[in-house]
Amino acid sequence: MDMSQILREVGRGKRGSRDLNYTEALTVAEKILKQEVSLPRRPHF
């Protein structure tokens, strides 16, 4: 699962979102630490 798919799953709002499982959370953390993805500089509302 790539980063955009993961963000789509967790960013659906209070009722539509779900928590990441361990493997997904580990993948996201690794990508952030390896700077393979960038974090948003400011929140998008």
Side-chain angles (χ1 to χ4, degrees), residues 5-24:
Q5 291 172 319
I6 291 172
L7 290 174
R8 208 172 291 126
E9 288 295 319
V10 300
R12 292 184 179 181
K14 188 174 183 179
R15 295 179 189 216
S17 66
R18 66 171 181 84
D19 292 335
L20 298 178
N21 64 36
Y22 179 82
T23 305
E24 292 168 333

Side-chain angles (χ1 to χ4, degrees), residues 3 5 10 17 20 25 27 29 31 34 38-39 41 44:
M3 196 66 158
Q5 291 172 319
V10 300
S17 66
L20 298 178
T27 300
K31 287 180 181 248
K34 291 179 182 177
S38 60
L39 297 174
R41 297 195 182 263
H44 296 92

Side-chain angles (χ1 to χ4, degrees), residues 24-36:
E24 292 168 333
L26 184 62
T27 300
V28 170
E30 287 175 345
K31 287 180 181 248
I32 291 170
L33 291 174
K34 291 179 182 177
Q35 297 181 349
E36 294 176 359

